[in-house]
Amino acid sequence: MGTLRTERWASNLRAFASGSVAKSRERYASIREDHECDPRDDAHSPSVNNPLMPASEETPWAKHFKAREVRDLVAKDLERLHPGEAFYNAKDVQAALCNVLTAWALVNPEVGYRQGMHELASLIFFYRASDAAAGTGTGTDAGATHAWGEGGDPPPMRPIDANAPALSSTYVEHDTYAMFDAFLGPTRDARRRRANANERGDDATGPPFVNVVAYYEDAERRGGASEVQRACDRVFAVLDEIDASTSERMRALGVEPQLFCLRWLRLAFTREFHLDDAARVWDAIADANAGDDRGDGHAAMDFMEAFAVSMIVFVRGDVADAEDFGGVVKRLQKFPPACDIDVLVSRAGVIAPAVKAVREGKDVPTEVLARAGIELGIPANSVAPGTGTGTGTGTFPGAAASASASASASGSGVGGGGDDARPQLGAKANEFLIKAKDASAGVGARAADLFANIGARAKAAMANAGHSASATPRKNSGNGNGGDGRGVEVVDQARSMPPSPKELGS
């Protein structure tokens, strides 16, 4: 049997400490034990171990309350995870995922648990459990019989068996934590500690790491840009270079990249594709990390951002045909199923060098643009001539001149880049949202009136039907709906169909 998916992920992500599966499992068990101890069993005096002491104090009770708070937050998200899917709603899977996410949040309090992390952990867990069940020979735990997703409690925490195989259903939870931790990568504080150690001459470079956690971190200073904001800007900067006509169209409509890229990147595309297709994207992310020649995790991040560009180009026709801001955003937030996910993966591999150039503040090489144009099937006049700034800063850097020309032609007054573009783009997006909100403000009242009218007409129809079942229904002109004369025919239609948005808005 060949190497299974999560074995490749673990290898390419360097998930297991010092290459030892047993050591990683012991680390997770230690974290669980440290944060799940019962404060009532603590031997300290009440002056130290007191549940009424301020939460800021480092006491056993403070740790207990913090862990419970995080666990409750995680549990709420897990309840909404893939509704209708029996595996994810099984008691043992829910409990194990809650343990994994709570443990990570408590170990990394500077970030903590953020919404969406459960999507990442659940994908890893599903494939690790599947691999543990499918493995044979030395790759499985022959003595373990736990079948994940079939209900019951998860396997109890026991001393780690150093001789247990790499694929073991007993340790799916432990292994999920190790891979989830590796996929998120070190937090900003951990990265800073590593950099400081390198400056001191210590060997703290470590293996390359995928740094998805950076997409969850807040801006380092007030008013500054967060990493996910910079990533969104890089995506549009590369789109400027790869497919100028599409970026110009989106810019003219005021479509900002964070409206869709934020979810794409934070959830690593798990919401945009079927499970198997999302896993294929993860295969490519892990492969990019394994081939990282810089050791900073940027190769994997460059691929992810390049994949986002590939997705936008895939729907370039829909973007061109969309009538307004809302049409474009709807298309990007509800991505169409790709006929072949490998095509998007291949395209992202071609685009990744362009993302690297933008990240490093360099011009995108002409040969990269030429190859991308051929690979993506973009007409030559849609590809920027390589004159973009490639800085990755500002609102939508790169191809500023062509973007400005597009804005002038459309009469939008939106510039191609720089600080002046952001307020106008933000205002346009906000204006759309405000109009949508205002338009929906009266929908509740109109809907209530409509349903009241429908009820009145239904009662009248039933009364009429009681006098003569075969008689032609009378028109009810006094139905409170402007005296339009609609009668039973409308009532019958309303029984089988909910009111349309057009009716609610009338």
Side-chain angles (χ1 to χ4, degrees):
M1 170 176 283
T3 305
L4 297 177
R5 168 166 272 144
T6 57
E7 290 181 301
R8 296 194 302 273
W9 287 357
S11 175
N12 291 340
L13 297 174
R14 279 79 164 181
F16 297 127
S18 303
S20 170
V21 179
K23 287 184 179 179
S24 291
R25 292 168 177 171
E26 289 171 356
R27 176 173 178 256
Y28 175 67
S30 176
I31 293 170
R32 285 277 310 274
E33 182 180 3
D34 183 48
H35 290 285
E36 294 181 7
C37 58
D38 190 335
R40 292 169 294 188
D41 297 337
D42 197 278
H44 288 93
S45 66
S47 61
V48 176
N49 185 24
N50 189 332
L52 300 180
M53 293 182 69
S56 59
E57 298 288 340
E58 285 295 327
T59 67
W61 279 101
K63 291 175 63 176
H64 170 74
F65 289 136
K66 179 61 178 176
R68 189 169 69 178
E69 178 185 348
V70 173
R71 182 173 290 276
D72 290 345
L73 180 64
V74 170
K76 289 179 181 178
D77 270 358
L78 288 174
E79 289 174 0
R80 301 188 291 267
L81 177 66
H82 303 308
E85 294 286 344
F87 178 85
Y88 295 103
N89 290 291
K91 181 181 178 182
D92 55 348
V93 174
Q94 288 268 315
L97 286 173
C98 193
N99 291 337
V100 167
L101 291 163
T102 300
W104 191 92
L106 294 174
V107 170
N108 300 278
E110 64 270 31
V111 176
Y113 173 75
R114 301 292 179 94
Q115 192 172 42
M117 289 182 175
H118 66 305
E119 299 271 2
L120 307 179
S122 67
L123 187 137
I124 296 171
F125 189 94
F126 173 81
Y127 280 102
R128 191 61 173 180
S130 299
D131 287 353
T136 59
T138 59
T140 62
D141 187 356
T145 58
H146 186 82
W148 289 98
E150 296 186 6
D153 296 318
M157 297 294 288
R158 295 183 179 136
I160 303 301
D161 180 2
N163 296 318
L167 283 173
S168 168
S169 61
T170 302
Y171 297 114
V172 167
E173 180 182 324
H174 301 66
D175 298 347
T176 296
Y177 178 87
M179 284 186 279
F180 176 72
D181 183 47
F183 190 72
L184 284 183
T187 62
R188 182 184 294 130
D189 288 348
R191 297 193 299 272
R192 187 176 290 118
R193 287 194 295 271
R194 176 182 288 192
N196 291 339
N198 290 334
E199 289 178 3
R200 293 194 303 269
D202 300 335
D203 183 14
T205 55
F209 47 82
V210 181
N211 203 203
V212 174
V213 72
Y215 293 146
Y216 286 94
E217 291 175 324
D218 298 325
E220 195 163 4
R221 62 183 183 280
R222 183 181 295 273
S226 64
E227 180 57 30
V228 74
Q229 288 175 314
R230 288 192 287 266
C232 289
D233 285 345
R234 282 193 295 270
V235 167
F236 251 52
V238 174
L239 186 65
D240 280 335
E241 303 282 4
I242 299 295
D243 187 359
S245 62
T246 298
S247 66
E248 288 166 5
R249 173 64 175 163
M250 295 174 71
R251 186 177 288 106
L253 293 174
V255 178
E256 300 190 44
Q258 58 266 35
L259 293 172
F260 52 92
C261 273
L262 189 144
R263 186 178 79 179
W264 291 1
L265 296 174
R266 283 183 173 175
L267 274 60
F269 313 104
T270 56
R271 280 280 189 91
E272 318 312 320
F273 303 100
H274 296 302
L275 187 66
D276 288 341
D277 285 345
R280 177 66 191 93
V281 178
W282 280 43
D283 291 343
I285 294 171
D287 290 345
N289 190 68
D292 191 345
D293 58 356
R294 290 171 287 180
D296 55 9
H298 284 166
M301 310 303 283
D302 290 349
F303 177 85
M304 291 179 67
E305 292 165 25
F307 192 83
V309 176
S310 177
M311 289 174 65
I312 298 172
V313 174
F314 184 82
V315 295
R316 67 192 307 268
D318 294 329
V319 171
D321 294 340
E323 296 181 356
D324 55 18
F325 170 91
V328 175
V329 173
K330 182 179 179 181
R331 173 75 288 170
L332 293 169
Q333 290 183 341
K334 191 173 182 181
F335 199 78
C339 57
D340 187 353
I341 195 69
D342 288 334
V343 171
L344 293 181
V345 169
S346 175
R347 291 176 173 181
V350 173
I351 298 170
V355 178
K356 177 182 177 182
V358 171
R359 183 190 294 276
E360 295 175 350
K362 301 176 181 178
D363 289 337
V364 178
T366 304
E367 60 271 18
V368 172
L369 293 176
R371 185 183 175 197
I374 295 172
E375 177 75 18
L376 275 61
I378 299 173
N381 59 1
S382 295
V383 181
T387 57
T389 61
T391 61
T393 59
T395 307
F396 308 138
S402 59
S404 178
S406 172
S408 299
S410 65
S412 66
V414 178
D419 296 336
D420 293 337
R422 182 176 293 278
Q424 296 180 28
L425 288 169
K428 187 154 188 173
N430 289 334
E431 179 184 355
F432 177 87
L433 296 174
I434 290 171
K435 286 181 179 179
K437 183 177 180 181
D438 291 342
S440 64
V443 168
R446 289 194 295 274
D449 291 342
L450 179 61
F451 282 113
N453 293 336
I454 289 174
R457 294 198 299 273
K459 289 180 181 179
M462 293 173 65
N464 293 337
H467 288 291
S468 176
S470 61
T472 302
R474 292 181 299 170
K475 302 295 183 181
N476 182 4
S477 61
N479 58 15
N481 198 20
D484 59 1
R486 289 181 296 176
V488 177
E489 292 87 347
V490 177
V491 175
D492 291 341
Q493 185 181 23
R495 286 174 178 168
S496 61
M497 296 175 60
S500 68
K502 184 176 181 180
E503 285 183 296
L504 289 176
S506 61

